[in-house]
Amino acid sequence: MDEDEVRTEAWWGRRAWVLLSAVRARAPLVQCITNLVSMDIVANALLAAGASPAMLHCLREVPDFSPRCDAVYINVGTLSEDWLPSMRAAASAGRPWVFDPVAVAASGFRMETCLSLLALRPAVVRGNASEILALASSSDNSSFKGVDSSHDSSDALQAAKALARSSGAVVAVSGAVDFITDGVQVVSASNGVPMMQKITATGCAVTALIAAFVGADPSDALVAAACALAIFGLAGEIGMESARGPASLRMHLIDALYSLDEQTVTSRVKISLLP
């Protein structure tokens, strides 16, 4: 990989299209152990992108099913103690997995759960700034706002780098500008529209899309995460051109994700490797 070439938006645009095309061609099977609020939009976003979602969380099925998946996605949004054995078993099945530590600072139990899952070495961790700050510090955040973030993504950049180094995962911080880091390199992705924050579980959906991209090409989780975030944000931008509010944006975003073409992706993806 030519470092000078990687630093251009043109390279990132081409790479995003290659990865989206790989998802469409290979239909990676993504096991989603995700929260009850997000299941519908997660499954529909994966289908629109070309992946194959499996909303499977029964512990007795995990040993047979999870090793056959291309990627696993684990989200603790509506956390239940009953699902923890399934989460741990799926994360330990030997497939690349992506972690969404939703509202990690909401309770001691949730923090303990997230730290135990983090120890199982996800390929990617994606959260908002408040979630990444809390997870990195392993302590409750006094300004915690549930699943919403009370910080800008840039506020969590140093915490994300530290978390990436300590966990071995690529860490993605979502916000107006997304930051993705492996602890050394930092990439920004700038696609998206503010109204996406008014649709519940869009963050969950984009994390699932990251899992699909990692499943299609697990060789570089940082590139996969950056491209998935930009692709999803771009679909939001295109959807916003026809939307009249959050409900119609949700519909048009999914349609746009399904309809993205090479010219649109390569010319409109906004990803940069930061110095």
Side-chain angles (χ1 to χ4, degrees), residues 49-98:
S52 178
M55 321 308 280
L56 183 150
H57 59 265
C58 175
L59 179 60
R60 292 181 63 179
E61 293 187 286
V62 167
D64 292 331
F65 190 83
S66 298
R68 302 205 305 264
C69 294
D70 294 292
V72 173
Y73 166 48
I74 296 176
N75 175 305
V76 298
T78 49
L79 183 59
S80 166
E81 195 164 16
D82 294 340
W83 285 20
L84 285 184
S86 298
M87 291 179 176
R88 293 181 179 130
S92 303
R95 307 307 301 150
W97 71 282
V98 176

Side-chain angles (χ1 to χ4, degrees), residues 254-265:
I254 292 171
D255 284 349
L257 188 57
Y258 175 80
S259 302
L260 284 171
D261 58 34
E262 182 175 5
Q263 194 278 331
T264 302
V265 171

Side-chain angles (χ1 to χ4, degrees), residues 64-160:
D64 292 331
F65 190 83
S66 298
R68 302 205 305 264
C69 294
D70 294 292
V72 173
Y73 166 48
I74 296 176
N75 175 305
V76 298
T78 49
L79 183 59
S80 166
E81 195 164 16
D82 294 340
W83 285 20
L84 285 184
S86 298
M87 291 179 176
R88 293 181 179 130
S92 303
R95 307 307 301 150
W97 71 282
V98 176
F99 182 34
D100 196 331
V102 179
V104 59
S107 69
F109 171 62
R110 188 173 290 263
M111 176 65 76
E112 180 183 350
T113 296
C114 288
L115 290 174
S116 70
L117 289 168
L118 187 65
L120 298 177
R121 302 187 67 81
V124 181
V125 177
R126 190 224 55 96
N128 64 41
S130 294
E131 290 163 347
I132 297 303
L133 283 163
L135 190 59
S137 66
S138 303
S139 62
D140 288 355
N141 190 328
S142 60
S143 57
F144 175 68
K145 287 183 62 181
V147 299
D148 299 320
S149 181
S150 56
H151 298 85
D152 292 330
S153 54
S154 58
D155 296 337
L157 183 52
Q158 293 308 313

Side-chain angles (χ1 to χ4, degrees), residues 180-220:
I180 309 96
T181 182
D182 59 4
V184 179
Q185 298 180 91
V186 179
V187 173
S188 67
S190 305
N191 293 99
V193 293
M195 196 177 287
M196 292 171 72
Q197 298 175 23
K198 300 296 184 182
I199 307 170
T200 190
T202 51
C204 307
V206 76
T207 315
L209 188 63
I210 291 171
F213 275 45
V214 171
D217 183 359
S219 65
D220 194 330

